[in-house]
C-alpha cells in the first residue's frame, strides 16, 4: 500500500474558509495606534476620575452634580451645541442637493464653502470680534444706514459662540452631506420623474429616505465637534456666565485648581453625554429606511 500524503492548505485559503480576508491584517497597525493614543488615555482618565483628593470613590461626580454652577454647564453646552448642529446639518442639505449636479463654477463655490476649515476656530473667533464687535464694520454699516440705533450684541455672548460654531462646522456637514448625496443613484429620481413625480415628491419619497441614515452620521460628527466647544466659548462668548460650557469647567478644575481627578471626572461626564446623544440619534436612524442605499458601485 502506498501512503497518501496530504498537504496543509495555505494560510490564505484557511483564512478564506473562515470568511477572513488577509487584507484585514493591515488594520493591526492602526488598531495599535488607536489603543496607544486613545484607549490608554481614556482608561487612565477614567480611573483617575475615581481617585478624588478627598472623599469616596464617587466624590468627584457627587460634587459635580451637587453643585448647580457645575451641573448647569450640561444644559448650557447642550443649548449651544444642539442648535448649531441642527443649523449646520439642515443648511447643508439644500446646498449639497444643488451642488451635486452640474453647476457652473462648482469647484469655485465648493472651495469658498470649505474655506473656513483652513481658518480654524481661533481665526474665526478673531474675525467675529473684528467684524461683529461694537466697533466692527458690520455694526458700523447698520448704524450708518439707520437700520439700528446702537451696535448689535453679536459677540461676547451666546450668539457669538453659535455663529462661530456654524461658521467652522458647516463645511464638515456640507462635505459629508454632499458625499452621501453623490452616492445616491440619480436614475431612481429619473424613474420617479417619468412616473409624474415633481421634485418635491422625488426629494421627500426617494432622496430624503436614502439620505437620512447619512444625515444621522453627519449630525453625530457635527454634534461631537460642537459639544467640545472651548476656544469659541472663551473668545467670543461669556465664559463666566452665559457660555460657561462643560469643557471650561473641566479646564478650570484641571489647570486652574490643579485638581486633575476632578477634571478627569468632568471629561468622563462629557463623554457619557455625547454617547447618550449619539445613541439616541443612532436609535432614530434604525427606524429609518432599511433597504438598499441606492449608492453607486
Amino acid at each position: 500500500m502506498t501512503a497518501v500524503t496530504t498537504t496543509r492548505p495555505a494560510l490564505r485559503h484557511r483564512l478564506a474558509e473562515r470568511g477572513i480576508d488577509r487584507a484585514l491584517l493591515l488594520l493591526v497597525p492602526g488598531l495599535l495606534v488607536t489603543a496607544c493614543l486613545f484607549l490608554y488615555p481614556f482608561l487612565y482618565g477614567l480611573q483617575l476620575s475615581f481617585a478624588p483628593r478627598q472623599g469616596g470613590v464617587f466624590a468627584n461626580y457627587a460634587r459635580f452634580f451637587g453643585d448647580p454652577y457645575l451641573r448647569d454647564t450640561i444644559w448650557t453646552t447642550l443649548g449651544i451645541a444642539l442648535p448649531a448642529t441642527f443649523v449646520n446639518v439642515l443648511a447643508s442639505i439644500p446646498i449639497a442637493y444643488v451642488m451635486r449636479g452640474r453647476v457652473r463654477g462648482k469647484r469655485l463655490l465648493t472651495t469658498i464653502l470649505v474655506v473656513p476649515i483652513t481658518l480654524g476656530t481661533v481665526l474665526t473667533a478673531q474675525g467675529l470680534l473684528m467684524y461683529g464687535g461694537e466697533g466692527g464694520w458690520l455694526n458700523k454699516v447698520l448704524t450708518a444706514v439707520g437700520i439700528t440705533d446702537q451696535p448689535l450684541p453679536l459677540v461676547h455672548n451666546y450668539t457669538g459662540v453659535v455663529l462661530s460654531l456654524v461658521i467652522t462646522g458647516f463645511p464638515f456637514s456640507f462635505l459629508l452631506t454632499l458625499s452621501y448625496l453623490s452616492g445616491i443613484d440619480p436614475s431612481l429620481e429619473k424613474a420617479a420623474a417619468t412616473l409624474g413625480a415633481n421634485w418635491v415628491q422625488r426629494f421627500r419619497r426617494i432622496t430624503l429616505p436614502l439620505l437620512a441614515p447619512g444625515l444621522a452620521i453627519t449630525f453625530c460628527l457635527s454634534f461631537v465637534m460642537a459639544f467640545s466647544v472651548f476656544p469659541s466659548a472663551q473668545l467670543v462668548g461669556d465664559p463666566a456666565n452665559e457660555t460657561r460650557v462643560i469643557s471650561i469647567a473641566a479646564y478650570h478644575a484641571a489647570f486652574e485648581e490643579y485638581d486633575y481627578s476632578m477634571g478627569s471626572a468632568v471629561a468622563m461626564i462629557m463623554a457619557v453625554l455625547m454617547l447618550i446623544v449619539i445613541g439616541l440619534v443612532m436609535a432614530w436612524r434604525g427606524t429609518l429606511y432599511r433597504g438598499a442605499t441606492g449608492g453607486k458601485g
Side-chain angles (χ1 to χ4, degrees):
M1 297 177 63
T2 58
V4 179
T5 59
T6 59
T7 58
R8 191 177 183 183
L11 176 62
R12 65 175 181 272
H13 295 302
R14 297 200 305 271
L15 292 176
E17 291 175 356
R18 292 173 173 80
I20 301 175
D21 190 349
R22 285 193 307 168
L24 294 177
L25 296 176
L26 297 175
L27 296 176
V28 173
L31 293 176
L32 293 176
V33 172
T34 301
C36 294
L37 298 182
F38 173 76
L39 191 59
Y40 171 74
F42 174 80
L43 294 177
Y44 177 77
L46 180 62
Q47 66 87 21
L48 186 62
S49 70
F50 292 110
R53 286 180 174 178
Q54 54 185 350
V57 176
F58 298 99
N60 287 329
Y61 296 94
R63 174 188 167 191
F64 180 90
F65 290 104
D67 186 350
Y69 190 55
L70 291 173
R71 185 177 63 246
D72 289 346
T73 58
I74 295 176
W75 309 116
T76 301
T77 311
L78 290 174
I80 292 174
L82 287 175
T85 304
F86 276 114
V87 170
N88 286 332
V89 175
L90 294 178
S92 67
I93 296 174
I95 299 176
Y97 186 78
V98 174
M99 293 291 291
R100 72 166 181 165
R102 294 183 178 179
V103 179
R104 189 173 183 179
K106 180 177 179 178
R107 291 185 178 180
L108 177 61
L109 292 174
T110 303
T111 302
I112 293 174
L113 290 173
V114 300
V115 159
I117 294 179
T118 65
L119 300 179
T121 306
V122 176
L123 283 179
T124 301
Q126 183 65 26
L128 284 173
L129 292 173
M130 293 177 60
Y131 300 122
E134 292 186 1
W137 68 265
L138 178 60
N139 275 316
K140 288 182 178 179
V141 171
L142 294 177
T143 54
V145 299
I147 296 179
T148 59
D149 298 330
Q150 56 186 0
L152 296 176
L154 299 177
V155 293
H156 299 305
N157 51 22
Y158 174 89
T159 303
V161 179
V162 173
L163 286 175
S164 177
L165 291 177
V166 169
I167 293 172
T168 57
F170 172 78
F172 293 98
S173 298
F174 166 72
L175 291 176
L176 287 171
T177 305
L178 181 61
S179 66
Y180 285 117
L181 276 171
S182 299
I184 298 176
D185 193 343
S187 63
L188 298 174
E189 295 183 66
K190 293 179 180 179
T194 59
L195 297 176
N198 55 38
W199 74 270
V200 175
Q201 294 172 324
R202 295 196 300 270
F203 179 81
R204 181 182 176 185
R205 302 292 184 180
I206 298 175
T207 306
L208 188 58
L210 294 173
L211 179 62
L215 287 180
I217 302 297
T218 302
F219 182 92
C220 290
L221 295 176
S222 300
F223 173 77
V224 169
M225 292 176 55
F227 191 82
S228 58
V229 56
F230 181 82
S232 299
Q234 285 278 7
L235 297 174
V236 293
D238 181 13
N241 298 294
E242 191 177 3
T243 64
R244 180 177 170 79
V245 292
I246 193 170
S247 59
I248 293 179
Y251 177 86
H252 177 79
F255 300 107
E256 293 183 13
E257 297 180 351
Y258 298 102
D259 189 348
Y260 298 108
S261 178
M262 183 62 188
S264 297
V266 178
M268 292 301 110
I269 293 172
M270 286 182 62
V272 171
L273 291 172
M274 285 189 287
L275 288 176
I276 289 174
V277 174
I278 292 173
L280 292 174
V281 174
M282 298 308 291
W284 169 78
R285 178 180 181 267
T287 64
L288 300 175
Y289 181 77
R290 297 174 180 270
T293 60
K296 299 176 182 178

